[in-house]
Amino acid sequence: MTETRTHLSTLIRSPDLEKISLMLAKPNIFEILRLAHHEIRHSNFLAWLLDPSQSHNLGDTFLKWFLKEVFQDERVSWIDEFDVDGVKTSNITIHREYKHIDLLIEFPDWVVVIENKFGSSEHSNQLARYRKVAERNFPNKPKAFVYLTPHYEEPKSEDDRAVYVNFTYGSVIQLLEQACDIYSSTMPETVLHYITDYIRVLKRYVMQDNDEAVELARKIYRNHKEALDFIFEHKPDRLLEIGKVFSQRVEARGYVLGSKGKGFTRLLTKELDPVVPRESDGGWPNKESFLYEFDYRNKKVSFRATVAPGEQLLRQQIMDILSRVDGVKKPNSKSWSAVYSHSFNYELTSEKFFDEDKLVEVIDKVLDAVEPIIEKTSACLVDGLKNDVDIADY
């Protein structure tokens, strides 16, 4: 018996394979129509949910829940989340592919621009171009810009990060589950099935998290890799796998993990973690004002010591303290400010790092290289935040 045949024989007798077959046999309209991986189809379904005039029987509930989430962000300064309940939604227009913008919600007095991104990365200055399109076509209306991604991916440029509100598919799932819980008795049965199917598709194909079938698929792939490489479509998301290993190596060195993000690992030292202010509403999910972060989404690993958007006096204080360390710069940006950065020519998503031992080895090399600057800047910042100014004043 050949080695390949042995692997295949082991696979077809696996009870885990029977389990996943039963899970996937449950009918799902999005899977049946092969819409799960198509970004444009997700935008179409979201447009249907956001439109109060559609047949989902939610009225403007989902739309207003969505707007409240967006308008609580400090990057939208011209309207407040508490104003949303009083907004009239009977005369709005939901645009699809408006001059290449995925979704645009046009109100009589303002607009909301939504860029829906999954399965491919931002390219060709898309976000900046969409801002210009909105400014040119709606010059007299205030605008909110939303960057919708699976795992809190951030825009590439600092200018875009200062404008676009990060919104995740995890938040979409939360709003939809809330809607099903509250309004299931008033929804048409078919609509309820569509929405529950969509939630399952988001968890399984977009988030690739909190879904039993995906977890079992990953287990089967690890146990039967040779047999599945050419037939199995549910390979583990490489960035999430790298993130898991990266986080383990970071914690093994005694660091504290910071806000999560797909393709990013963020950290603080144990000494710095208790004193870093959590007051950055326009920054990372956990609102840290400062973090060390590794970005491995592209063909290199980028390390940055970054000051988040937020109260300018606090940002200035942090940058002033860090400027005492040799090699640290003092950026002029008023939003995201990388006070130290360094790149390593390792493409962690490449096949050669599928071997976890090799991945661990290169991650440790990167951590070794940046450890001195982390320790120096952390010690300086701990001392400065404790002694220079009372952070409570901010």
Side-chain angles (χ1 to χ4, degrees), residues 71-248:
F71 293 164
Q72 61 85 31
D73 193 286
E74 67 174 12
R75 279 167 283 206
V76 183
S77 59
W78 48 269
I79 192 170
D80 191 273
E81 59 184 302
F82 298 103
D83 297 325
V84 171
D85 284 329
V87 171
K88 292 183 179 180
T89 60
S90 57
N91 53 353
I92 70 167
T93 303
I94 307 285
H95 297 278
R96 283 287 295 112
E97 293 297 321
Y98 180 88
K99 300 182 185 298
H100 302 293
I101 294 172
D102 287 327
L103 280 167
L104 189 145
I105 310 173
E106 182 182 359
F107 286 79
D109 299 319
W110 38 274
V111 296
V112 179
V113 173
I114 305 171
E115 170 60 7
N116 180 16
K117 184 62 64 178
F118 76 89
S120 63
S121 60
E122 173 197 348
H123 58 85
S124 304
N125 297 316
Q126 282 177 300
L127 300 184
R129 285 191 288 109
Y130 298 156
R131 283 194 285 125
K132 290 179 181 178
V133 168
E135 293 292 346
R136 185 167 57 249
N137 289 275
F138 304 95
N140 300 317
K141 293 185 177 183
K143 301 158 195 70
F145 296 89
V146 180
Y147 192 42
L148 173 60
T149 61
H151 296 280
Y152 202 88
E153 290 89 337
E154 296 170 338
K156 291 181 180 179
S157 81
E158 288 191 6
D159 287 342
D160 289 333
R161 289 200 294 270
V163 173
Y164 277 83
V165 176
N166 291 91
F167 204 90
T168 71
Y169 270 100
S171 296
V172 173
I173 291 171
Q174 185 177 5
L175 294 181
L176 290 176
E177 289 179 333
Q178 185 173 292
C180 289
D181 182 55
I182 297 173
Y183 295 102
S184 59
S185 62
T186 61
M187 283 185 201
E189 187 175 350
T190 53
V191 171
L192 183 60
H193 286 163
Y194 290 155
I195 293 178
T196 53
D197 278 356
Y198 186 58
I199 291 170
R200 190 178 304 120
V201 160
L202 288 181
K203 289 181 177 180
R204 184 170 294 174
Y205 297 102
V206 179
M207 302 296 293
Q208 294 195 11
D209 195 16
N210 294 324
D211 180 81
E212 187 179 0
V214 171
E215 293 304 316
L216 187 55
R218 290 173 178 166
K219 177 183 175 183
I220 293 172
Y221 183 78
R222 286 191 292 268
N223 291 340
H224 305 279
K225 180 179 182 300
E226 294 81 0
L228 292 168
D229 272 347
F230 65 102
I231 61 171
F232 195 56
E233 114 181 70
H234 283 291
K235 290 185 179 180
D237 186 296
R238 190 59 190 148
L239 286 177
L240 293 179
E241 293 290 315
I242 294 168
K244 181 179 178 181
V245 176
F246 217 126
S247 295
Q248 290 171 347

